[in-house]
Amino acid sequence: GLFPAVLNLASNALITTNATCGEKGREMYCKLVEHVPGQPERNPQCRICDQRSRLQHQRHPITNAIDGKNSWWQSPSIQNGIEYHYVTITLDLQQIFQIAYVIVKAANSPRPGNWILERSLDGVDYQPWQYYAITDSECLTRYNIHPRPGTPSYIKDDEVICTSYYSKIHPLENGEIHTSLINGRPSADDPSRELLEFTSARFIRLRFQRIRTLNADLMMFAHKDPAEIDPIVTRRYYYSIKDISVGGMCICSGHAKACPLDPATNKSVCQCEHNTCGETCDQCCPGFHQKPWHAGTLLHKHECEPCNCHGKTEECYYDQDVADRNQSLNIHGEYIGGGVCVNCSGYTSGINCETCADGYFRPKGVLPDNPNPCQPCSCDPNGSLNDTCVKDEKHMEGDLLPGFCHCKTGYAGESCSQCALGYTGYPECLPCNCSLEGSENDDPCIGPCICKEHVEGENCDRCKPGFFNLQQNNPEGCEECFCSGKTNVCTNSHFTYRSIEDMNGWYLSDLPGLIRVIPMQKRFDGHQQLSISNVIAQKLLPQIYYWSAPSSYLGNKVAAAGGHLKFTVSYDVTEEEEEETAKLMVQSDVIIEGGDLKISTPKGIIHLQPSEEHTEEIVLKPESFSMHGTDVPVSRREFMTVLANVKRILIRATYSNGMNAIYRIRSVIMEAADHTLRGRRTASAVELCECPPGYDGTSCESCWPRHRRVNGTVFGGVCAPCTCFGHADMCDDITGACLDCRHNTGGSYCDRCLPGFYGDATKGTAEDCQLCACPLNIPSNNFSPTCHFDQHRGLICDECPAGYVGPRCERCAEGYFGQPLIPGGSCQPCQCNDNLDFSVPGSCDSLSGACLICKPGTTGQYCERCADGYFGDALHARNCQ
């Protein structure tokens, strides 16, 4: 960065004070020296101060503090009143500067005792810069700040400290106070926003609050009225300043090394460099917005960079979204920055004026910086969709070169001014008799029509039974219906492709799939990007390893037939390896596993430089793949069998031999047909089959609910009903065992009632299994009953809880009472105070709980007392005798 010199700003400031000695008339003052009692009053240490005097040495105005001479400013002594401890000096620098330091030099008195150095931007609101106190304890008592002992130091950029370092009594004259505002603070070398704000000021105020006196005099002031004190003492106490220096510089944001004074305005003006503009060089100049403006620092100049508009305009602005997407070309030919050009001339448009406006095109081979790159389109109004043609090489689609128009169906040519093959009758081009897609005729307008192998009809315009998806680029015309071997009646779908993109859950794996390594993940260009260090990977994985896709790309993907699998890969290497690896070829391949088959794309050879991105796009059709590890082509039946249940998708991760390489992948997109969305591309390669009962899915690859695909076989496999008696929706493909039985049933086929329930689970209703009520009203969490059903006797409980008896636990046992058959009823122990033998039948009433046959010697309803002729304690000691 560039920074103006630090100057003494005080010399050009406006300085004021609220008190100066001699303003109200002549007054005597004396220096603070150790005086001997009995000395005459007129001694060499005393002088006169008079602002109205003709003698310059008797005048001490505030301007003396900044004139650079040996004269000084002096305040009234406290002989004039104790209020003259409180004196304020204000400097107006006349514009905002960044202040580095403030130096104050005393004259013929000690330095001030208690005072505050303050700053302000507007002269109204002042903030403290630093506190000064006679003692450390006064930092706390007067300013409520913990003192900073010793030489002043700073922990934070905007910390305000209190120090007694500069308030000592000695020296009695010519003492100095050095306050550093930048040096010693954490970000001094590269100022933070806090430090820049903390040091910015136009107004500086010195607010004096106590003159530094001798301790004996402080005691005297504490006990006496100032009017009673000897004036020989009080006229020695005043403030005197012979110099105030304010070191600072213009705020030019690190983009100017000079800031001269403009005589017309009496203000210092930044001479901005680095293509910056503004009073404080705080913005990029017009046309220099390729990168965002930053303040220059000691370490970085942060120069504003010109936009690359290819000479078509001088206007541009910065757009962060454009920078994030790497869409703006800089003057060095790199897509770095976010400059967007405005008001492009010569019919150009685009972020860098690199393309042409609608209705114009840049011919192939003409560069964007050509003075007149764009020519008007010439699109035939009869055959063109509109008057906009292919704008440049970047917008080329298939065989459409720059300048070619977009033709209506049946029209062709650069300007769409003739009929396309298979059409006749320009200017109104109508289809010929023979279908262009389905016939083999060289000229479809000349009959008779010769149909392709899987095509029929007088005009060769329909697929034969068992085939679908008539396409011009298919040599056989149509594809064979797969339909999992269950039917040969199918048509092409009118669904559209949607994109599956999910960068969460990817991992690195070996070919057998035994090892998992989790990659690094971060945002790049608005997308999630995954990366793996080869050094880390090689500790666990073999030399060649793969990205393995998460679940969103797996499972039933027959609807992805004919769609695209697209992804972007790149790699980086160390500088030592770069020269060697730049010459390497890269092999890119994709492996898809499913249905006990493994298919892969041929290993293509690509030249890929480090940091260069390569986007691969694979059409998901049989011709794109071979059986893995061989050159054997993949049949449509095998291809669809794989897609019916995709187990793994592997994308090669290793693109070089560099041991220290970093491999990356992003934007993995798989297209799959979806009838709920309206996409751009119709999924005609996806078949819609007329499936027999029990079969479901576009290719009959799924089974109806409550059915299973026996042994998991897709092609030719059987969907058989699950034997679950209506108690489960799914069963295992291999064993037929039911999954997730409901209605209190269990067993492999949901054919048994669970423990605690009874009934016939094979009836096929939700009420087949009823709760065992053994006994009827006991809470189930207290007892887990089991029961069975007897044809003659009904429900029989296998066991009863304590206190219950009977086939259904419907009666209370000996020693218990209650009515378990009524709602809320239960069996409770008879309360006979252990004075009853429950083994004696009828000893306790089974309904009321009354104790009927007490042990000998006891009596009462609860056997709670000794019988007649017995004495003792029947309740506690139970010793009736």
Side-chain angles (χ1 to χ4, degrees), residues 575-806:
E575 289 181 13
E576 298 82 35
E577 293 178 323
E578 188 160 353
E579 189 174 333
E580 175 191 345
T581 53
K583 299 169 185 171
L584 286 175
M585 302 293 193
V586 176
Q587 293 180 311
S588 175
D589 58 304
V590 173
I591 301 169
I592 304 179
E593 291 181 21
D596 295 325
L597 297 171
K598 190 182 292 185
I599 61 176
S600 60
T601 57
K603 292 181 170 65
I605 296 177
I606 308 156
H607 291 276
L608 193 60
Q609 300 285 342
S611 301
E612 181 186 355
E613 287 197 327
H614 169 69
T615 299
E616 186 88 11
E617 194 160 1
I618 298 162
V619 182
L620 295 173
K621 58 183 183 180
E623 303 89 87
S624 302
F625 295 85
S626 59
M627 300 308 291
H628 182 64
T630 72
D631 294 326
V632 178
V634 175
S635 69
R636 173 162 167 77
R637 180 185 298 181
E638 290 166 332
F639 181 70
M640 293 299 289
T641 300
V642 170
L643 289 191
N645 189 9
V646 177
K647 293 288 176 58
R648 288 207 299 165
I649 295 180
L650 302 176
I651 299 173
R652 185 176 173 129
T654 48
Y655 326 122
S656 79
N657 291 335
M659 274 306 296
N660 294 318
I662 304 287
Y663 298 118
R664 299 191 177 94
I665 191 169
R666 67 180 181 89
S667 304
V668 184
I669 297 170
M670 175 191 265
E671 290 182 327
D674 188 340
H675 69 281
T676 62
L677 293 172
R678 294 300 302 165
R680 285 194 312 165
R681 224 160 51 83
T682 303
S684 61
V686 174
E687 63 184 9
L688 294 180
C689 303
E690 290 187 16
C691 302
Y695 297 84
D696 205 352
T698 57
S699 298
C700 310
E701 77 282 2
S702 303
C703 297
W704 281 0
R706 301 186 180 181
H707 287 65
R708 67 183 177 111
R709 188 166 281 282
V710 178
N711 296 326
T713 306
V714 176
F715 188 82
V718 176
C719 282
C722 293
T723 307
C724 300
F725 303 102
H727 301 308
D729 291 333
M730 293 189 299
C731 55
D732 186 86
D733 286 347
I734 308 299
T735 65
C738 301
L739 307 175
D740 302 322
C741 294
R742 301 192 302 273
H743 310 144
N744 308 312
T745 65
S748 296
Y749 303 104
C750 307
D751 55 348
R752 291 186 287 101
C753 292
L754 291 174
F757 295 86
Y758 74 97
D760 183 0
T762 63
K763 286 183 178 179
T765 72
E767 288 75 36
D768 285 355
C769 294
Q770 298 292 319
L771 181 69
C772 289
C774 296
L776 189 65
N777 295 310
I778 192 167
S780 59
N781 59 343
N782 290 356
F783 178 66
S784 298
T786 59
C787 61
H788 64 277
F789 191 80
D790 184 278
Q791 190 171 0
H792 302 291
R793 301 165 64 197
L795 172 68
I796 303 295
C797 297
D798 295 329
E799 64 172 309
C800 295
Y804 295 81
V805 292

Side-chain angles (χ1 to χ4, degrees), residues 827-849:
C827 291
Q828 303 292 328
C830 294
Q831 301 298 323
C832 299
N833 295 299
D834 286 341
N835 289 325
L836 185 146
D837 185 355
F838 291 131
S839 65
V840 178
S843 57
C844 164
D845 189 289
S846 64
L847 291 178
S848 67

Side-chain angles (χ1 to χ4, degrees), residues 471-501:
Q471 293 291 325
Q472 183 179 350
N473 60 4
N474 186 342
E476 298 171 329
C478 300
E479 296 179 69
E480 186 180 5
C481 294
F482 170 67
C483 299
S484 303
K486 290 293 136 187
T487 180
N488 64 352
V489 181
C490 77
T491 59
N492 50 283
S493 82
H494 295 288
F495 300 163
T496 54
Y497 287 115
R498 69 177 178 89
S499 293
I500 299 168
E501 183 175 2

Side-chain angles (χ1 to χ4, degrees), residues 564-583:
H564 290 196
L565 178 64
K566 184 178 178 181
F567 53 89
T568 300
V569 294
S570 61
Y571 71 98
D572 274 328
V573 292
T574 58
E575 289 181 13
E576 298 82 35
E577 293 178 323
E578 188 160 353
E579 189 174 333
E580 175 191 345
T581 53
K583 299 169 185 171

